[in-house]
Amino acid sequence: MNRFSIEQAPVVALPVAGSAASFPVRRVYCIGRNYAAHAIEMGHDPDREPPFFFQKNPDNLDPSGEFPYPPHSSDVHHEVELAVMLKSGGSNISVACSLAHVFGYAASLDMTRRDLQAEQKKLGRPWEIGKAFERSAPVGPVHPVSEVGHLSEGRIALTVNGIVRQDGNLNQMIWKVPEIIAFLSKYFSLSAGDVVLTGTPAGVAAVSRGDMLEIEIEGIEPVGVKVV
């Protein structure tokens, strides 16, 4: 007997580099304005104020290599980010113990309907309509820590049609990965399958249908995404 009253939605799972297994996704947390230069370009003070977060949905993560230009927007921006995948979790995790919960890392994008986000900001409303739309987080394969180690510095960049748009270093994060995990765990019970997008360097800009985006994060393989 089926214990569900409707058909169960499929588990969102991402490919793991070098493995036939996949990484099942539970939740997706995103930190805002976590690179000083990006905070400045968005009109904010880059001082180390308390971090803030928004969420995307698990099925927003898309490893297909294509990004369908979304409806109801004429100003969609790219934001290249390092994604952190957790293998375990808990509450009130210390900074010192945070990295023990990381399974691996992936190259990702936080695509943003900037015009819709701006409207919500003016009204003091949440950003999800600009951030959590379908397939809004293109992502590459998950690279286990056992293969690549912990990524704390190195180039993070995005090219559009071969032209560099974003170019930074992971060590420029205002809040580092262990601090992000520790802070989140004060307010949420983190668990295996949680994904954290860690913010974007300066240079965010609009994309158009037909653009070819390439993500480069030092230590893991580049990822290409076509805007369709």
Side-chain angles (χ1 to χ4, degrees):
M1 179 179 176
N2 190 342
R3 64 191 182 94
F4 298 113
S5 59
I6 61 172
E7 184 178 353
Q8 183 182 14
V11 174
V12 175
L14 303 176
V16 175
S19 173
S22 56
F23 179 88
V25 179
R26 175 177 176 260
R27 296 177 182 170
V28 183
Y29 300 95
C30 309
I31 186 171
R33 298 195 292 264
N34 197 34
Y35 286 74
H38 175 58
I40 292 170
E41 77 176 349
M42 299 303 290
H44 298 278
D45 190 327
D47 285 346
R48 195 175 153 97
E49 61 185 3
F52 74 95
F53 297 87
F54 57 92
Q55 287 184 271
K56 286 182 180 278
N57 302 307
D59 62 357
N60 293 160
L61 294 171
D62 182 8
S64 71
E66 291 188 343
F67 169 68
Y69 199 98
H72 311 299
S73 178
S74 59
D75 190 24
V76 178
H77 284 204
H78 57 72
E79 297 189 10
V80 62
E81 310 210 3
L82 175 71
V84 180
M85 282 67 179
L86 302 188
K87 63 181 179 182
S88 56
S91 299
N92 298 311
I93 299 169
S94 69
V95 172
C97 294
S98 290
L99 290 181
H101 297 280
V102 176
F103 171 77
Y105 300 92
S108 68
L109 289 166
D110 168 20
M111 302 303 290
T112 303
R113 292 194 280 205
R114 190 72 72 200
D115 45 2
L116 300 188
Q117 182 195 33
E119 291 174 4
Q120 300 308 302
K121 284 183 177 181
K122 289 179 182 177
L123 296 170
R125 294 176 178 175
W127 296 358
E128 273 70 18
I129 197 169
K131 289 285 192 179
F133 55 93
E134 272 58 44
R135 299 174 69 177
S136 60
V139 63
V142 180
H143 294 264
V145 168
S146 59
E147 299 295 326
V148 300
H150 287 292
L151 306 182
S152 59
E153 63 178 300
R155 190 182 189 216
I156 175 171
L158 179 79
T159 62
V160 179
N161 303 324
I163 299 172
V164 177
R165 289 264 192 94
Q166 294 184 260
D167 197 352
N169 194 296
L170 296 174
N171 64 19
Q172 296 168 341
M173 287 185 195
I174 297 170
W175 293 89
K176 312 304 184 185
V177 170
E179 296 172 317
I180 294 171
I181 294 170
F183 188 92
L184 275 172
S185 74
K186 293 180 181 179
Y187 299 94
F188 301 93
S189 181
L190 300 181
S191 184
D194 286 348
V195 176
V196 183
L197 301 189
T198 56
T200 193
V204 301
V207 300
S208 301
R209 291 177 179 84
D211 283 346
M212 185 67 202
L213 285 56
E214 185 166 283
I215 307 167
E216 297 180 27
I217 297 180
E218 190 173 330
I220 58 179
E221 65 187 74
V223 173
V225 178
K226 178 82 170 182
V227 182
V228 297

